[in-house]
Amino acid sequence: MSTERRFASVEDLGPLVREALGEKLERVERLRGGTKKGVYRLMFERGPSAVLYVWADAENFWGAGADKGRSEMGLFLAAHQEFSELGVRVPELRFVDGSGRLYPAEVAVVEDVRGGTLEQRLGSDDGSMERLAEHLQRMAGHRSAGLGEVGPVKAGEGRSETCPEVVLGWALKDLGEAAGRVEAISQKRTAFEELLHGMAGGIEPRTEHALIHGELGPDHLLMDDGGEPVLIDIEGARFFDVEWEHVFLRIRFGERYPKLRVEGLDEARMRFYRLAQHLSLVAGPLRLLDGDFPDREFMMGIVRQHIGEALSFVQGPCVGGDLRIGRFPG
């Protein structure tokens, strides 16, 4: 499939940039890291650079049929508006187009935030973690009775299930996929199923849900010139149990997570959602590796780490054993 992928060039994007921004495009740099959209730095003959998001089949390593019929640009715009109105910093929006007239895909041009990622600053004492903590407090206090991605909730089309029911569905699907590929998980599948159902059944549903990013690792936070964290990859933002966000934060920030913790987190939810996310971080990367995702060693490292973390829920800390990854009967 890699030979079929064709990414955007200066020639492809020149007309879009000229009409949308009134600039002459000089160079294009495709930035690494995206799995559902292409991210390009646009450099002009004059003026500051910008960043282009392209939601095209050729940019989607999950497969052209993934989330078919859903507008990723629409999700991005709804989340961008919600964060902006809340005072949570996201890249400034310069142009959007979903018509396909200027480029055969949904596109958005945003501010090019050039201060690097928060991940690159984690060892410093520049106040960036404290400013991120302020954002998280604001998001945790921003509530909605609706549940689901920001756009559908705002349109009155939120999900009808509870958060624990949604997570249980995700986790059972991920478990099935992981068990079909990882022998050690296959051997413990029944134990995982019983544990997941038991955890979900012990959690009381809520009537209000917080605004969360969903995958807020230090690589999804850029730093602007004023030292303010800027959220990127916001299409998955949703109203949900705040614990889902904080499980991911704890996984990604490790020993630095206590600086980001908010008050009132439910530990039963945290434990259930942590198991669900470990299973997701096994099944998701393996789905990507079925295709032609380029950074294969990195993804396999994530898979191996989270196999061990998931197994610790049903057999204690994983200190070896059969972690063979392949195709096994689930």
Side-chain angles (χ1 to χ4, degrees), residues 165-187:
E165 288 170 344
V166 171
V167 173
L168 179 62
W170 290 342
L172 291 172
K173 180 177 183 293
D174 289 330
L175 173 62
E177 294 190 12
R181 298 288 296 274
V182 182
E183 180 73 8
I185 290 181
S186 179
Q187 292 173 357

Side-chain angles (χ1 to χ4, degrees), residues 217-266:
D219 54 335
H220 285 169
L221 288 150
L222 302 178
M223 303 300 298
D224 69 13
D225 292 339
E228 189 75 13
V230 183
L231 278 65
I232 60 171
D233 288 338
I234 59 175
E235 293 91 316
R238 64 190 64 224
F239 290 100
F240 211 73
D241 276 345
V242 69
E243 287 84 359
W244 185 261
E245 185 96 282
H246 281 264
V247 166
F248 195 83
L249 287 165
R250 189 157 71 180
I251 290 171
R252 294 291 281 109
F253 281 87
E255 63 183 13
R256 296 181 175 88
Y257 166 71
K259 287 187 175 182
L260 305 177
R261 186 178 174 89
V262 298
E263 295 298 321
L265 296 176
D266 178 352

Side-chain angles (χ1 to χ4, degrees), residues 159-330:
R159 302 185 65 142
S160 59
E161 312 100 307
T162 67
C163 288
E165 288 170 344
V166 171
V167 173
L168 179 62
W170 290 342
L172 291 172
K173 180 177 183 293
D174 289 330
L175 173 62
E177 294 190 12
R181 298 288 296 274
V182 182
E183 180 73 8
I185 290 181
S186 179
Q187 292 173 357
K188 296 287 184 178
R189 181 169 182 171
T190 299
F192 275 121
E193 289 173 344
E194 292 174 352
L195 182 58
L196 287 166
H197 280 286
M199 286 177 163
I203 295 174
E204 289 293 323
R206 289 173 173 152
T207 57
E208 287 190 328
H209 311 95
L211 176 64
I212 69 170
H213 176 283
E215 291 185 337
L216 197 53
D219 54 335
H220 285 169
L221 288 150
L222 302 178
M223 303 300 298
D224 69 13
D225 292 339
E228 189 75 13
V230 183
L231 278 65
I232 60 171
D233 288 338
I234 59 175
E235 293 91 316
R238 64 190 64 224
F239 290 100
F240 211 73
D241 276 345
V242 69
E243 287 84 359
W244 185 261
E245 185 96 282
H246 281 264
V247 166
F248 195 83
L249 287 165
R250 189 157 71 180
I251 290 171
R252 294 291 281 109
F253 281 87
E255 63 183 13
R256 296 181 175 88
Y257 166 71
K259 287 187 175 182
L260 305 177
R261 186 178 174 89
V262 298
E263 295 298 321
L265 296 176
D266 178 352
E267 286 303 321
R269 278 178 168 80
M270 293 285 284
R271 187 167 184 267
F272 174 40
Y273 293 170
R274 184 161 66 90
L275 174 55
Q277 290 196 25
H278 288 316
L279 290 170
S280 175
L281 288 165
V282 175
L286 287 175
R287 284 197 294 273
L288 274 178
L289 291 174
D290 279 339
D292 62 338
F293 185 77
D295 202 347
R296 304 183 76 78
E297 286 302 315
F298 172 74
M299 280 294 167
M300 190 55 70
I302 292 175
V303 169
R304 293 189 182 278
Q305 174 190 346
H306 290 282
I307 290 172
E309 296 283 3
L311 287 171
S312 71
F313 278 75
V314 293
Q315 64 181 32
C318 184
V319 292
D322 185 0
L323 296 186
R324 288 178 298 147
I325 299 169
R327 293 196 177 277
F328 302 96

Side-chain angles (χ1 to χ4, degrees), residues 29-147:
E29 177 187 0
R30 190 172 188 277
L31 305 179
R32 67 183 296 273
T35 62
K36 280 192 174 182
K37 68 177 179 288
V39 182
Y40 295 85
R41 176 166 288 127
L42 307 177
M43 288 156 281
F44 313 120
E45 285 191 348
R46 55 185 174 80
S49 57
V51 166
L52 172 71
Y53 298 152
V54 178
W55 291 279
D57 288 349
E59 308 280 1
N60 188 348
F61 287 93
W62 296 94
D67 301 318
K68 190 172 183 180
R70 185 175 78 168
S71 168
E72 293 289 327
M73 185 188 75
L75 295 176
F76 165 77
L77 291 175
H80 190 280
Q81 180 177 346
E82 198 74 11
F83 283 124
S84 298
E85 291 177 353
L86 189 59
V88 173
R89 181 83 159 85
V90 288
E92 293 178 4
L93 189 61
R94 297 185 61 182
F95 175 78
V96 293
D97 181 49
S99 71
R101 184 176 65 85
L102 298 174
Y103 190 81
E106 294 183 330
V107 295
V109 180
V110 301
E111 164 195 12
D112 188 7
V113 182
R114 298 295 292 265
T117 65
L118 179 58
E119 193 166 34
Q120 295 165 330
R121 299 194 185 194
L122 283 180
S124 66
D125 187 20
D126 62 357
S128 53
M129 289 288 285
E130 287 74 14
R131 286 189 284 277
L132 174 57
E134 293 172 7
H135 283 335
L136 291 168
Q137 291 281 359
R138 199 172 300 147
M139 291 160 61
H142 184 57
R143 304 299 179 91
S144 170
L147 183 158

